[in-house]
Amino acid sequence: MHVGEVAYLSAPGARQLCICPAGLASGANEISIHVSLASLFGFENRTPGKIQLIDDTDVATATHVEIYFRDQYLSRADMWQLMKRLEDTVMFEGQVLKYLGSVIADVEQLWVAGKNVDSAFVSHPHTKPIFRSRSARYSILIEVSREMLEGWSNGSLMYERLIDDFLQELFQKWERAKARHLASVILFGRTTGIDGLSKRDFHTHQHGEDFYILLVSEVTSITWTDILHKIKKAFNDLTLSRSVSLAAESNILEAIHLTAMDFADDQNDAHLMSTGTSIIAITAGIGVFDADHTLLKQTTDLLVGNSIGVDIVALSPRPLHPVPLFRYD
């Protein structure tokens, strides 16, 4: 087998391994692989094996590679440089990637034409890397609305369902994925005036005000039990206003805009212990909101221009039309 050729290596009791020799072995009929790689795939020393040469490398070239990293900041340039170093090599599940002498990432999964494989050849531009951060910054925005405080679902109040079901499942999923995200939790809402009209009813001067309550700021997600305790305590606090608007009339767009502004300087002043920013806005409504057109356009430009993702989670049953939906005059 010549240097640069691609082949499959198999042996009794071992998983099939894609190989691309970088040099010649000491013997003509020998293949030398690292002991850690041999142990991972089940190859034993001096084991007879079979080599199947691949004429068309496209059938063994990965179409997608999923790479996970944590507790560091990786820019797009760093990701490009890393994949450039791995071009025309073989990657495998469980591989530890090093860059500038430091361990920075792990290879979790590889796909060839939609099929998950243990190892594959990597070649630009056929291989698309998928970088996933296990240490991103999340802002969890919880809407305090009439539906959240008074609405029922399967025998539980909406905010109880939020805490005991959705948030608990979310944090446990992060824990199973070995993620240590930095989470900030903000309660937001819009109070109503004496006549019960919200702030968007401009024909009256008796309107309420928007409020924002910061519960936790950039706390690691592994302390999720403490985070849930603080959220539950905040909802049971008698000082929390109960005279709030409906979910459709809330200030969710304003809350997303203010949160996005906090992430807007990440390109100039990066957070070196995390990569990626995202916003999770939780509402007890169905996902339909009244919005100001100018603010909606500004928020959209802010999110797209800074690559900030937003997930709007509605706790109510899904309507028959697409949501989320922002309506304006």
Side-chain angles (χ1 to χ4, degrees):
M1 186 175 180
H2 301 290
V3 175
E5 287 185 318
V6 181
Y8 286 123
L9 174 64
S10 57
R15 292 185 293 164
Q16 183 175 263
L17 174 65
C18 182
I19 58 174
C20 180
L24 297 176
S26 57
N29 296 321
E30 292 183 358
I31 293 291
S32 297
I33 58 178
H34 196 273
V35 62
S36 60
L37 181 60
S39 176
L40 182 63
F41 278 79
F43 290 97
E44 297 182 359
N45 192 25
R46 304 293 180 181
T47 299
K50 177 183 177 182
I51 295 178
Q52 179 185 352
L53 292 176
I54 302 173
D55 297 327
D56 184 8
T57 57
D58 289 345
V59 300
T61 301
T63 52
H64 296 85
V65 178
E66 199 167 277
I67 301 171
Y68 284 80
F69 60 96
R70 189 177 69 183
D71 297 334
Q72 58 191 307
Y73 174 75
L74 286 184
S75 65
R76 295 183 184 271
D78 295 329
M79 298 176 187
W80 185 86
Q81 289 286 354
L82 178 62
M83 292 306 299
K84 191 68 176 177
R85 291 168 57 89
L86 296 170
E87 188 174 350
D88 295 332
T89 63
V90 170
M91 297 180 68
F92 55 90
E93 286 189 2
Q95 181 179 359
V96 176
L97 303 180
K98 294 184 178 181
Y99 181 57
L100 298 178
S102 301
V103 175
I104 63 169
D106 301 314
V107 179
E108 292 285 338
Q109 291 182 316
L110 301 99
W111 287 273
V112 175
K115 181 182 178 182
N116 186 230
V117 295
D118 296 327
S119 59
F121 185 68
V122 176
S123 176
H124 180 78
H126 302 289
T127 304
K128 303 295 189 297
I130 303 172
F131 286 89
R132 299 194 184 278
S133 173
R134 285 194 172 113
S135 55
R137 286 197 294 166
Y138 277 87
S139 288
I140 302 176
L141 309 178
I142 301 176
E143 177 191 75
V144 181
S145 61
R146 205 175 304 170
E147 292 93 332
M148 184 69 78
L149 298 176
E150 302 174 4
W152 288 79
S153 176
N154 297 326
S156 300
L157 289 169
M158 279 296 189
Y159 74 85
E160 294 175 340
R161 183 185 176 194
L162 161 71
I163 298 171
D164 298 331
D165 292 342
F166 174 73
L167 287 179
Q168 182 171 325
E169 183 179 343
L170 175 66
F171 285 122
Q172 288 177 345
K173 183 177 180 180
W174 287 351
E175 190 174 45
R176 289 192 298 269
K178 300 179 182 179
R180 286 203 294 259
H181 298 306
L182 297 177
S184 299
V185 180
I186 301 101
L187 298 184
F188 70 93
R190 171 166 288 155
T191 61
T192 56
I194 299 175
D195 53 3
L197 298 176
S198 68
K199 190 176 181 179
R200 294 205 184 277
D201 296 299
F202 296 105
H203 60 273
T204 177
H205 296 290
Q206 295 178 341
H207 54 69
E209 297 293 337
D210 295 348
F211 64 88
Y212 305 90
I213 304 173
L214 178 63
L215 297 183
V216 295
S217 177
E218 295 192 351
V219 176
T220 179
S221 59
I222 60 176
T223 61
W224 60 271
T225 53
D226 296 333
I227 297 175
L228 294 185
H229 177 73
K230 290 183 179 180
I231 298 174
K232 185 175 294 186
K233 184 178 179 181
F235 272 102
N236 293 326
D237 191 347
L238 296 178
T239 61
L240 181 66
S241 176
R242 262 58 181 175
S243 299
V244 290
S245 67
L246 295 172
E249 301 172 345
S250 71
N251 54 330
I252 188 170
L253 186 60
E254 288 84 348
I256 293 174
H257 187 91
L258 290 174
T259 306
M261 289 181 63
D262 187 41
F263 294 148
D265 293 333
D266 270 13
Q267 303 296 330
N268 301 324
D269 186 16
H271 192 281
L272 299 181
M273 291 301 293
S274 65
T275 302
T277 54
S278 187
I279 300 172
I280 302 176
I282 306 172
T283 175
I286 61 174
V288 178
F289 310 99
D290 295 332
D292 178 73
H293 180 263
T294 303
L295 181 61
L296 180 61
K297 186 178 185 306
Q298 291 175 350
T299 305
T300 302
D301 294 340
L302 183 62
L303 295 172
V304 174
N306 293 278
S307 300
I308 303 172
V310 178
D311 294 296
I312 298 179
V313 180
L315 301 178
S316 295
R318 185 175 181 177
L320 298 178
H321 55 80
V323 288
L325 185 64
F326 290 90
R327 57 191 180 191
Y328 51 86
D329 296 331

